Amino acid sequence: MDEQRPVRGTFSGRMTALVLAAVAGTLVICLLAIVWLTAQRIHDQAEQQALGIARSVASIPDVRELVADQAELETLDPVQLADGPLQATLEGVRERTGALFVIATEDRGLRLVHPNPDLIGQRVSTDPVALRGVEDTSTERGTLGESVRAKVPVWSGDGERVVGEISVGVGVAAVAADVRQAAVSVAVVGVVGLGLALLSAMYLKRRLRRLTLGLEPDEIAASARDQAAVLYGVQDGVIGVSPEGIITVRNKAARMLLGLPHRSEPGDVVGRRYDESGLPGALTEAVTGALQSGSSATGLRLAVGESSMIASVVPVHRDGVDLGGVVMLKDTTAVEALGSRLDAVETMASALRAQRHEFANRLHALSGLLAAGQLEAAQEFLHQVIESGPVKDPVPRIDAVQDTFLRAFVGAKGVQAHELGVELRVGPETSFWQTVVDPQDATAVLGNLVDNAVRAALEGRGPEGHDAGPAGAADLAGRAGTAGTAGRASAVPWVEVDLLGEGDTLHLAVADSGGGVPAGLDVFAPGATTREGGEHEAHGHGVGLSLARRLARQRGGDVWVADPGGLDEAGTGLSGAVFCARIPGVLSTSMEGER
């Protein structure tokens, strides 16, 4: 049978008991020391009191003379001494001072004065040390009981010899009474101190429970280990904010995503207020709102440098205690780039399906002619198919793009645009003969710009009968503004693409017949969009343009608005926008790649 482990108290309870025991033990030791010191002080005071009385009595001239006279006698008369002036004088001193006794002896140690007259003339019960000419204090037991006594010599009138002794005693019972009174006072103070210690211990217990959230030391240690494992074992960024707005923790992923200083560098955000640590403004506002309202903020898009992320701010509570909030940062840069590249692949696949369908239709037509015996018609149809080549993409001037992959991609975009009722065409200034060696980034940037332009052409086209777009695309090398061919009035929305290769750099421009970029809108900002309403709803859908610029900048290029478009100078028509891009490192510079 397994032995049951003894039930241990909580950490706060054990700490409270330990503190209370330490305080109580210290208090008891201190009180005992105080009582002992007080008893010693009272005893010393009693000795000094007795010594003072004895000195005073021994210095009285009459006392000295009477004692000297008795020292000259061979025998003493106890009856005469009991009624004599020396007895009366010393008894008066005893009564006035409250001493237990005031005794005088002659030089042989025989009593001349005593509170009990029957003992006069007898030798004292203790050693008459003062007869040797010295003062002495001690605690001794005599005929009147135990007392603290002082013995002082009585000198002759000329001060040359000791003629007697004065002994003064203070009863131990009186001293003990004073000690008891002092001990009671000390005990009262001790009880009050112990009560305060108990109250402090109870407060400490509650404080510890609140600070540790009721966790035991092993649980706290496990939480610290788990925190380190979670913070530095996940790829998501994590920032902890206290209820007072102080950043208490942040992991490496958060530092890299937000471009924060290293711990060893000045300006580390840990220990600083979140609104003074250089966090993005949108994130700072989200943290403020979450801490004040106690509700979570999710789906916040951020872009810092070349990184794109989604932030969430979650308030944290435990057992009704506000612990602040946690900021979670999920890096979406790679996911968005991969999604854009997959969109390009999907576009190519859609175009191939359309071509396969068209080829199947041609084969069915040829099969029908052969089955019907129409050999001449079949031969003529086959001759037309051979001369026409592959299925024609609905993209005018696409022959100017000689790279197989890029041409197929533009053709696939043209098929998609054609299905939406938008004409996609290649600009007359395009003369692209280089080979694309990294089609992923090239098609991702071009695809996002074309999709953006198609939406703009569909949703922001000017009034019918007006020229809806610019005369041509931008200067592809990025060295000039807008330029191109003369526009043509058309009610059909259109998108025009110009491509140019320069070394290993691909320059491209995309113009549309839409209504232009709304004034004041940063279409490259993450999440920037006007799709929810407004006069212009096309440019800026939240992800595509921001991603295109980020992909280009990762290669040392850029994406920018060459012409925002909008109303013309007369205010009677709309002019579409022109977007330009420069993407280095995606073209082949070798002669083998030239066509």
Side-chain angles (χ1 to χ4, degrees):
M1 183 175 178
D2 296 337
E3 295 183 359
Q4 294 184 351
R5 296 180 60 185
V7 180
R8 300 173 60 190
T10 62
F11 171 69
S12 57
R14 295 197 303 272
M15 288 298 298
T16 301
L18 179 62
V19 171
L20 186 59
V23 172
T26 304
L27 189 61
V28 169
I29 293 174
C30 292
L31 292 179
L32 291 177
I34 291 174
V35 170
W36 183 80
L37 292 175
T38 302
Q40 290 295 319
R41 178 179 57 81
I42 294 175
H43 185 274
D44 291 344
Q45 288 179 349
E47 287 183 344
Q48 294 301 318
Q49 179 185 4
L51 185 60
I53 296 173
R55 286 173 177 174
S56 298
V57 172
S59 64
I60 298 175
D62 292 343
V63 172
R64 295 173 63 184
E65 183 179 352
L66 291 174
V67 171
D69 291 342
Q70 293 297 323
E72 296 294 335
L73 300 177
E74 290 293 334
T75 60
L76 300 179
D77 185 357
V79 177
Q80 182 182 2
L81 289 173
D83 297 330
L86 186 59
Q87 173 78 6
T89 301
L90 269 60
E91 280 297 298
V93 172
R94 182 184 68 80
E95 293 175 357
R96 290 194 299 271
T97 60
L100 178 64
F101 59 84
V102 178
I103 300 174
T105 67
E106 40 90 79
D107 56 357
R108 291 170 296 182
L110 301 178
R111 299 187 183 97
L112 301 178
V113 175
H114 195 279
N116 184 0
D118 295 337
L119 299 179
I120 295 176
Q122 298 180 12
R123 184 174 176 81
V124 293
S125 59
T126 60
D127 185 16
V129 294
L131 295 179
R132 295 193 289 269
V134 296
E135 295 180 347
D136 179 65
T137 57
S138 61
T139 301
E140 295 177 325
R141 178 174 293 277
T143 57
L144 298 177
E146 189 175 5
S147 62
V148 177
R149 60 188 64 190
K151 298 177 181 181
V152 176
V154 179
W155 295 89
S156 61
D158 54 8
E160 293 181 356
R161 64 187 182 90
V162 177
V163 296
E165 173 190 82
I166 300 297
S167 178
V168 177
V170 176
V172 171
V175 175
D178 293 339
V179 172
R180 285 194 298 272
Q181 183 177 1
V184 170
S185 300
V186 172
V188 171
V189 173
V191 170
V192 173
L194 190 60
L196 293 177
L198 180 60
L199 293 177
S200 300
M202 296 303 296
Y203 171 77
L204 177 62
K205 180 179 180 180
R206 297 183 58 183
R207 178 70 173 172
L208 285 175
R209 287 185 59 84
R210 184 163 59 250
L211 291 177
T212 61
L213 303 178
L215 298 176
E216 295 300 307
D218 52 349
E219 294 176 325
I220 295 175
S223 297
R225 291 192 295 268
D226 294 342
Q227 173 183 298
V230 171
L231 286 179
Y232 298 98
V234 299
Q235 296 181 350
D236 293 344
V238 180
I239 299 177
V241 183
S242 70
E244 295 77 21
I246 304 299
I247 296 179
T248 57
V249 66
R250 64 108 184 95
N251 63 355
K252 180 180 179 181
R255 177 178 64 83
M256 298 182 66
L257 286 173
L258 298 178
L260 302 175
H262 193 271
R263 289 187 181 274
S264 60
E265 300 174 352
D268 183 27
V269 298
V270 177
R272 301 174 59 187
R273 284 191 56 83
Y274 70 92
D275 51 1
E276 299 175 356
S277 55
L279 299 181
L283 181 59
T284 299
E285 294 178 0
V287 174
T288 301
L291 293 180
Q292 292 179 352
S293 64
S295 58
S296 302
T298 59
L300 176 63
R301 289 188 174 274
L302 299 174
V304 178
E306 303 302 329
S307 299
S308 177
M309 66 201 78
I310 296 179
S312 301
V313 184
V314 181
V316 180
H317 296 83
R318 180 184 173 94
D319 296 334
V321 179
D322 182 11
L323 302 181
V326 175
V327 179
M328 302 292 296
L329 302 171
K330 183 177 292 294
D331 188 6
T332 59
T333 305
V335 175
E336 291 177 357
L338 179 61
S340 181
R341 291 162 181 164
L342 290 177
D343 288 342
V345 174
E346 184 180 4
T347 300
M348 293 292 297
S350 299
L352 291 175
R353 284 195 298 269
Q355 288 191 350
R356 184 188 63 81
H357 181 71
E358 185 63 25
F359 274 115
N361 290 338
R362 291 183 180 184
L363 290 177
H364 289 159
L366 182 60
S367 176
L369 291 175
L370 292 175
Q374 302 291 331
L375 298 180
E376 294 183 1
Q379 185 177 6
E380 181 180 357
F381 179 74
L382 185 59
H383 179 71
Q384 293 177 359
V385 170
I386 293 174
E387 285 192 352
S388 63
V391 177
K392 294 291 184 181
D393 295 314
V395 181
R397 297 190 292 273
I398 196 174
D399 293 337
V401 182
Q402 299 182 22
D403 178 76
T404 304
F405 191 91
L406 203 57
R407 177 173 176 172
F409 181 76
V410 174
K413 285 295 182 182
V415 172
Q416 288 183 337
H418 183 73
E419 293 176 353
L420 296 174
V422 178
E423 179 188 3
L424 176 63
R425 64 193 184 215
V426 176
E429 296 181 358
T430 297
S431 178
F432 188 79
W433 47 264
Q434 289 95 332
T435 301
V436 178
V437 295
D438 191 350
Q440 293 184 351
D441 286 349
T443 54
V445 175
L446 178 59
N448 277 311
L449 293 181
V450 170
D451 292 341
N452 177 71
V454 169
R455 287 195 302 269
L458 283 174
E459 301 177 9
R461 185 163 61 92
E464 186 174 344
H466 292 283
D467 184 5
D475 178 10
L476 301 179
R479 293 183 292 268
T482 58
T485 61
R488 59 180 182 177
S490 173
V492 178
W494 56 266
V495 174
E496 184 172 289
V497 177
D498 282 302
L499 303 170
L500 177 64
E502 181 184 21
D504 66 348
T505 301
L506 171 63
H507 299 270
L508 59 91
V510 179
D512 62 73
S513 61
V517 178
L521 174 64
D522 182 8
V523 294
F524 296 107
T529 180
T530 56
R531 299 284 291 179
E532 296 180 358
E535 182 180 356
H536 302 282
E537 296 182 328
H539 290 291
H541 193 51
V543 176
L545 292 177
S546 174
L547 175 61
R549 169 176 276 186
R550 189 160 55 252
L551 291 174
R553 287 184 172 178
Q554 286 176 352
R555 288 183 166 273
D558 202 359
V559 176
W560 68 95
V561 179
D563 184 359
L567 290 174
D568 56 19
E569 296 181 359
T572 57
L574 294 174
S575 173
V578 178
F579 284 78
C580 291
R582 182 179 72 257
I583 315 173
V586 297
L587 303 182
S588 174
T589 58
S590 64
M591 297 301 295
E592 296 180 359
E594 297 180 1
R595 299 178 186 269

PDB file of all heavy atoms in Angstrom, residues 564-593:
ATOM      1  N   PRO A 564      -1.364  59.353 -60.318  1.00  0.00           N
ATOM      2  CA  PRO A 564      -2.537  58.913 -59.559  1.00  0.00           C
ATOM      3  C   PRO A 564      -3.830  59.011 -60.340  1.00  0.00           C
ATOM      4  O   PRO A 564      -4.842  58.428 -59.925  1.00  0.00           O
ATOM      5  CB  PRO A 564      -2.534  59.843 -58.345  1.00  0.00           C
ATOM      6  CG  PRO A 564      -1.832  61.066 -58.813  1.00  0.00           C
ATOM      7  CD  PRO A 564      -0.801  60.617 -59.802  1.00  0.00           C
ATOM      8  N   GLY A 565      -3.858  59.775 -61.463  1.00  0.00           N
ATOM      9  CA  GLY A 565      -5.092  59.919 -62.224  1.00  0.00           C
ATOM     10  C   GLY A 565      -6.113  60.763 -61.498  1.00  0.00           C
ATOM     11  O   GLY A 565      -5.793  61.603 -60.660  1.00  0.00           O
ATOM     12  N   GLY A 566      -7.385  60.526 -61.831  1.00  0.00           N
ATOM     13  CA  GLY A 566      -8.471  61.307 -61.245  1.00  0.00           C
ATOM     14  C   GLY A 566      -9.125  62.189 -62.286  1.00  0.00           C
ATOM     15  O   GLY A 566      -9.031  61.951 -63.511  1.00  0.00           O
ATOM     16  N   LEU A 567      -9.800  63.231 -61.851  1.00  0.00           N
ATOM     17  CA  LEU A 567     -10.464  64.153 -62.773  1.00  0.00           C
ATOM     18  C   LEU A 567      -9.438  64.895 -63.603  1.00  0.00           C
ATOM     19  O   LEU A 567      -8.361  65.253 -63.127  1.00  0.00           O
ATOM     20  CB  LEU A 567     -11.328  65.152 -61.999  1.00  0.00           C
ATOM     21  CG  LEU A 567     -12.599  64.586 -61.334  1.00  0.00           C
ATOM     22  CD1 LEU A 567     -13.259  65.653 -60.482  1.00  0.00           C
ATOM     23  CD2 LEU A 567     -13.576  64.063 -62.379  1.00  0.00           C
ATOM     24  N   ASP A 568      -9.780  65.118 -64.874  1.00  0.00           N
ATOM     25  CA  ASP A 568      -8.882  65.881 -65.725  1.00  0.00           C
ATOM     26  C   ASP A 568      -8.949  67.357 -65.372  1.00  0.00           C
ATOM     27  O   ASP A 568      -9.694  67.771 -64.469  1.00  0.00           O
ATOM     28  CB  ASP A 568      -9.225  65.652 -67.205  1.00  0.00           C
ATOM     29  CG  ASP A 568     -10.689  65.990 -67.512  1.00  0.00           C
ATOM     30  OD1 ASP A 568     -11.304  66.720 -66.711  1.00  0.00           O
ATOM     31  OD2 ASP A 568     -11.200  65.515 -68.535  1.00  0.00           O
ATOM     32  N   GLU A 569      -8.151  68.180 -66.077  1.00  0.00           N
ATOM     33  CA  GLU A 569      -8.089  69.605 -65.750  1.00  0.00           C
ATOM     34  C   GLU A 569      -9.429  70.289 -65.938  1.00  0.00           C
ATOM     35  O   GLU A 569      -9.773  71.222 -65.211  1.00  0.00           O
ATOM     36  CB  GLU A 569      -7.021  70.272 -66.612  1.00  0.00           C
ATOM     37  CG  GLU A 569      -5.612  69.761 -66.331  1.00  0.00           C
ATOM     38  CD  GLU A 569      -4.593  70.463 -67.202  1.00  0.00           C
ATOM     39  OE1 GLU A 569      -5.001  71.315 -68.028  1.00  0.00           O
ATOM     40  OE2 GLU A 569      -3.388  70.174 -67.049  1.00  0.00           O
ATOM     41  N   ALA A 570     -10.204  69.839 -66.915  1.00  0.00           N
ATOM     42  CA  ALA A 570     -11.514  70.462 -67.154  1.00  0.00           C
ATOM     43  C   ALA A 570     -12.560  69.979 -66.166  1.00  0.00           C
ATOM     44  O   ALA A 570     -13.630  70.570 -66.040  1.00  0.00           O
ATOM     45  CB  ALA A 570     -11.980  70.167 -68.580  1.00  0.00           C
ATOM     46  N   GLY A 571     -12.255  68.883 -65.478  1.00  0.00           N
ATOM     47  CA  GLY A 571     -13.216  68.363 -64.512  1.00  0.00           C
ATOM     48  C   GLY A 571     -14.370  67.642 -65.148  1.00  0.00           C
ATOM     49  O   GLY A 571     -15.391  67.412 -64.512  1.00  0.00           O
ATOM     50  N   THR A 572     -14.222  67.261 -66.419  1.00  0.00           N
ATOM     51  CA  THR A 572     -15.332  66.618 -67.130  1.00  0.00           C
ATOM     52  C   THR A 572     -15.112  65.123 -67.307  1.00  0.00           C
ATOM     53  O   THR A 572     -16.016  64.412 -67.713  1.00  0.00           O
ATOM     54  CB  THR A 572     -15.510  67.266 -68.506  1.00  0.00           C
ATOM     55  OG1 THR A 572     -14.269  67.157 -69.229  1.00  0.00           O
ATOM     56  CG2 THR A 572     -15.870  68.739 -68.351  1.00  0.00           C
ATOM     57  N   GLY A 573     -13.931  64.608 -67.059  1.00  0.00           N
ATOM     58  CA  GLY A 573     -13.655  63.201 -67.279  1.00  0.00           C
ATOM     59  C   GLY A 573     -12.662  62.674 -66.263  1.00  0.00           C
ATOM     60  O   GLY A 573     -12.001  63.434 -65.564  1.00  0.00           O
ATOM     61  N   LEU A 574     -12.574  61.344 -66.186  1.00  0.00           N
ATOM     62  CA  LEU A 574     -11.681  60.694 -65.256  1.00  0.00           C
ATOM     63  C   LEU A 574     -10.474  60.141 -65.989  1.00  0.00           C
ATOM     64  O   LEU A 574     -10.590  59.668 -67.120  1.00  0.00           O
ATOM     65  CB  LEU A 574     -12.403  59.563 -64.519  1.00  0.00           C
ATOM     66  CG  LEU A 574     -13.532  59.987 -63.581  1.00  0.00           C
ATOM     67  CD1 LEU A 574     -14.234  58.753 -63.041  1.00  0.00           C
ATOM     68  CD2 LEU A 574     -12.995  60.826 -62.451  1.00  0.00           C
ATOM     69  N   SER A 575      -9.331  60.183 -65.325  1.00  0.00           N
ATOM     70  CA  SER A 575      -8.098  59.647 -65.876  1.00  0.00           C
ATOM     71  C   SER A 575      -7.604  58.553 -64.952  1.00  0.00           C
ATOM     72  O   SER A 575      -7.515  58.745 -63.745  1.00  0.00           O
ATOM     73  CB  SER A 575      -7.038  60.755 -66.006  1.00  0.00           C
ATOM     74  OG  SER A 575      -5.801  60.212 -66.389  1.00  0.00           O
ATOM     75  N   GLY A 576      -7.313  57.374 -65.522  1.00  0.00           N
ATOM     76  CA  GLY A 576      -6.874  56.256 -64.714  1.00  0.00           C
ATOM     77  C   GLY A 576      -5.465  56.454 -64.172  1.00  0.00           C
ATOM     78  O   GLY A 576      -4.730  57.359 -64.583  1.00  0.00           O
ATOM     79  N   ALA A 577      -5.083  55.580 -63.249  1.00  0.00           N
ATOM     80  CA  ALA A 577      -3.775  55.669 -62.613  1.00  0.00           C
ATOM     81  C   ALA A 577      -2.745  54.862 -63.389  1.00  0.00           C
ATOM     82  O   ALA A 577      -3.081  53.965 -64.170  1.00  0.00           O
ATOM     83  CB  ALA A 577      -3.851  55.166 -61.181  1.00  0.00           C
ATOM     84  N   VAL A 578      -1.483  55.184 -63.156  1.00  0.00           N
ATOM     85  CA  VAL A 578      -0.365  54.456 -63.748  1.00  0.00           C
ATOM     86  C   VAL A 578       0.560  54.018 -62.612  1.00  0.00           C
ATOM     87  O   VAL A 578       1.039  54.858 -61.850  1.00  0.00           O
ATOM     88  CB  VAL A 578       0.412  55.319 -64.761  1.00  0.00           C
ATOM     89  CG1 VAL A 578       1.593  54.520 -65.314  1.00  0.00           C
ATOM     90  CG2 VAL A 578      -0.497  55.787 -65.879  1.00  0.00           C
ATOM     91  N   PHE A 579       0.779  52.719 -62.520  1.00  0.00           N
ATOM     92  CA  PHE A 579       1.692  52.154 -61.531  1.00  0.00           C
ATOM     93  C   PHE A 579       2.933  51.641 -62.239  1.00  0.00           C
ATOM     94  O   PHE A 579       2.821  51.001 -63.295  1.00  0.00           O
ATOM     95  CB  PHE A 579       1.035  50.997 -60.774  1.00  0.00           C
ATOM     96  CG  PHE A 579       0.040  51.428 -59.751  1.00  0.00           C
ATOM     97  CD1 PHE A 579      -1.241  51.821 -60.124  1.00  0.00           C
ATOM     98  CD2 PHE A 579       0.363  51.453 -58.408  1.00  0.00           C
ATOM     99  CE1 PHE A 579      -2.166  52.224 -59.190  1.00  0.00           C
ATOM    100  CE2 PHE A 579      -0.567  51.842 -57.454  1.00  0.00           C
ATOM    101  CZ  PHE A 579      -1.823  52.237 -57.836  1.00  0.00           C
ATOM    102  N   CYS A 580       4.101  51.921 -61.646  1.00  0.00           N
ATOM    103  CA  CYS A 580       5.364  51.460 -62.205  1.00  0.00           C
ATOM    104  C   CYS A 580       6.087  50.573 -61.198  1.00  0.00           C
ATOM    105  O   CYS A 580       5.891  50.697 -59.988  1.00  0.00           O
ATOM    106  CB  CYS A 580       6.259  52.646 -62.589  1.00  0.00           C
ATOM    107  SG  CYS A 580       5.640  53.589 -63.995  1.00  0.00           S
ATOM    108  N   ALA A 581       6.939  49.680 -61.742  1.00  0.00           N
ATOM    109  CA  ALA A 581       7.718  48.784 -60.892  1.00  0.00           C
ATOM    110  C   ALA A 581       9.089  48.558 -61.510  1.00  0.00           C
ATOM    111  O   ALA A 581       9.248  48.575 -62.732  1.00  0.00           O
ATOM    112  CB  ALA A 581       6.997  47.453 -60.696  1.00  0.00           C
ATOM    113  N   ARG A 582      10.052  48.353 -60.635  1.00  0.00           N
ATOM    114  CA  ARG A 582      11.414  48.006 -61.036  1.00  0.00           C
ATOM    115  C   ARG A 582      11.835  46.797 -60.215  1.00  0.00           C
ATOM    116  O   ARG A 582      11.866  46.847 -58.984  1.00  0.00           O
ATOM    117  CB  ARG A 582      12.364  49.177 -60.796  1.00  0.00           C
ATOM    118  CG  ARG A 582      13.793  48.912 -61.242  1.00  0.00           C
ATOM    119  CD  ARG A 582      14.698  50.124 -61.011  1.00  0.00           C
ATOM    120  NE  ARG A 582      15.005  50.343 -59.597  1.00  0.00           N
ATOM    121  CZ  ARG A 582      14.440  51.265 -58.842  1.00  0.00           C
ATOM    122  NH1 ARG A 582      13.534  52.081 -59.377  1.00  0.00           N
ATOM    123  NH2 ARG A 582      14.769  51.399 -57.571  1.00  0.00           N
ATOM    124  N   ILE A 583      12.151  45.677 -60.890  1.00  0.00           N
ATOM    125  CA  ILE A 583      12.440  44.422 -60.206  1.00  0.00           C
ATOM    126  C   ILE A 583      13.806  43.930 -60.662  1.00  0.00           C
ATOM    127  O   ILE A 583      13.939  43.308 -61.723  1.00  0.00           O
ATOM    128  CB  ILE A 583      11.365  43.353 -60.505  1.00  0.00           C
ATOM    129  CG1 ILE A 583       9.956  43.950 -60.386  1.00  0.00           C
ATOM    130  CG2 ILE A 583      11.510  42.156 -59.576  1.00  0.00           C
ATOM    131  CD1 ILE A 583       8.867  43.016 -60.825  1.00  0.00           C
ATOM    132  N   PRO A 584      14.866  44.161 -59.918  1.00  0.00           N
ATOM    133  CA  PRO A 584      16.206  43.698 -60.306  1.00  0.00           C
ATOM    134  C   PRO A 584      16.362  42.195 -60.095  1.00  0.00           C
ATOM    135  O   PRO A 584      15.689  41.584 -59.267  1.00  0.00           O
ATOM    136  CB  PRO A 584      17.136  44.472 -59.365  1.00  0.00           C
ATOM    137  CG  PRO A 584      16.298  45.569 -58.771  1.00  0.00           C
ATOM    138  CD  PRO A 584      14.905  45.032 -58.743  1.00  0.00           C
ATOM    139  N   GLY A 585      17.268  41.607 -60.883  1.00  0.00           N
ATOM    140  CA  GLY A 585      17.678  40.227 -60.672  1.00  0.00           C
ATOM    141  C   GLY A 585      16.735  39.180 -61.175  1.00  0.00           C
ATOM    142  O   GLY A 585      16.899  38.003 -60.834  1.00  0.00           O
ATOM    143  N   VAL A 586      15.751  39.501 -61.991  1.00  0.00           N
ATOM    144  CA  VAL A 586      14.801  38.488 -62.474  1.00  0.00           C
ATOM    145  C   VAL A 586      15.032  38.149 -63.940  1.00  0.00           C
ATOM    146  O   VAL A 586      14.376  37.231 -64.469  1.00  0.00           O
ATOM    147  CB  VAL A 586      13.348  38.974 -62.277  1.00  0.00           C
ATOM    148  CG1 VAL A 586      13.051  39.148 -60.809  1.00  0.00           C
ATOM    149  CG2 VAL A 586      13.078  40.260 -63.035  1.00  0.00           C
ATOM    150  N   LEU A 587      15.947  38.846 -64.616  1.00  0.00           N
ATOM    151  CA  LEU A 587      16.213  38.591 -66.031  1.00  0.00           C
ATOM    152  C   LEU A 587      17.607  38.016 -66.208  1.00  0.00           C
ATOM    153  O   LEU A 587      18.520  38.291 -65.424  1.00  0.00           O
ATOM    154  CB  LEU A 587      16.077  39.877 -66.849  1.00  0.00           C
ATOM    155  CG  LEU A 587      14.732  40.618 -66.765  1.00  0.00           C
ATOM    156  CD1 LEU A 587      14.755  41.846 -67.661  1.00  0.00           C
ATOM    157  CD2 LEU A 587      13.586  39.698 -67.154  1.00  0.00           C
ATOM    158  N   SER A 588      17.783  37.244 -67.281  1.00  0.00           N
ATOM    159  CA  SER A 588      19.078  36.682 -67.611  1.00  0.00           C
ATOM    160  C   SER A 588      19.906  37.724 -68.350  1.00  0.00           C
ATOM    161  O   SER A 588      19.409  38.426 -69.232  1.00  0.00           O
ATOM    162  CB  SER A 588      18.906  35.433 -68.479  1.00  0.00           C
ATOM    163  OG  SER A 588      20.160  34.951 -68.925  1.00  0.00           O
ATOM    164  N   THR A 589      21.202  37.812 -67.991  1.00  0.00           N
ATOM    165  CA  THR A 589      22.098  38.764 -68.668  1.00  0.00           C
ATOM    166  C   THR A 589      23.028  38.063 -69.637  1.00  0.00           C
ATOM    167  O   THR A 589      23.861  38.716 -70.279  1.00  0.00           O
ATOM    168  CB  THR A 589      22.939  39.507 -67.616  1.00  0.00           C
ATOM    169  OG1 THR A 589      23.669  38.559 -66.843  1.00  0.00           O
ATOM    170  CG2 THR A 589      22.042  40.332 -66.708  1.00  0.00           C
ATOM    171  N   SER A 590      22.925  36.728 -69.745  1.00  0.00           N
ATOM    172  CA  SER A 590      23.790  35.987 -70.668  1.00  0.00           C
ATOM    173  C   SER A 590      23.198  35.986 -72.058  1.00  0.00           C
ATOM    174  O   SER A 590      21.979  36.093 -72.252  1.00  0.00           O
ATOM    175  CB  SER A 590      23.977  34.549 -70.164  1.00  0.00           C
ATOM    176  OG  SER A 590      22.743  33.860 -70.177  1.00  0.00           O
ATOM    177  N   MET A 591      24.079  35.844 -73.090  1.00  0.00           N
ATOM    178  CA  MET A 591      23.623  35.831 -74.477  1.00  0.00           C
ATOM    179  C   MET A 591      22.819  34.582 -74.775  1.00  0.00           C
ATOM    180  O   MET A 591      21.991  34.563 -75.682  1.00  0.00           O
ATOM    181  CB  MET A 591      24.828  35.905 -75.417  1.00  0.00           C
ATOM    182  CG  MET A 591      25.634  37.187 -75.285  1.00  0.00           C
ATOM    183  SD  MET A 591      24.639  38.682 -75.625  1.00  0.00           S
ATOM    184  CE  MET A 591      24.280  38.419 -77.361  1.00  0.00           C
ATOM    185  N   GLU A 592      23.056  33.491 -73.990  1.00  0.00           N
ATOM    186  CA  GLU A 592      22.312  32.266 -74.238  1.00  0.00           C
ATOM    187  C   GLU A 592      20.841  32.445 -73.956  1.00  0.00           C
ATOM    188  O   GLU A 592      20.000  31.760 -74.517  1.00  0.00           O
ATOM    189  CB  GLU A 592      22.876  31.140 -73.364  1.00  0.00           C
ATOM    190  CG  GLU A 592      24.324  30.793 -73.706  1.00  0.00           C
ATOM    191  CD  GLU A 592      24.846  29.694 -72.830  1.00  0.00           C
ATOM    192  OE1 GLU A 592      24.070  29.239 -71.960  1.00  0.00           O
ATOM    193  OE2 GLU A 592      26.007  29.284 -73.001  1.00  0.00           O
ATOM    194  N   GLY A 593      20.530  33.385 -73.090  1.00  0.00           N
ATOM    195  CA  GLY A 593      19.131  33.596 -72.768  1.00  0.00           C
ATOM    196  C   GLY A 593      18.435  34.512 -73.734  1.00  0.00           C
ATOM    197  O   GLY A 593      17.236  34.683 -73.685  1.00  0.00           O
TER     198      GLY A 593
END
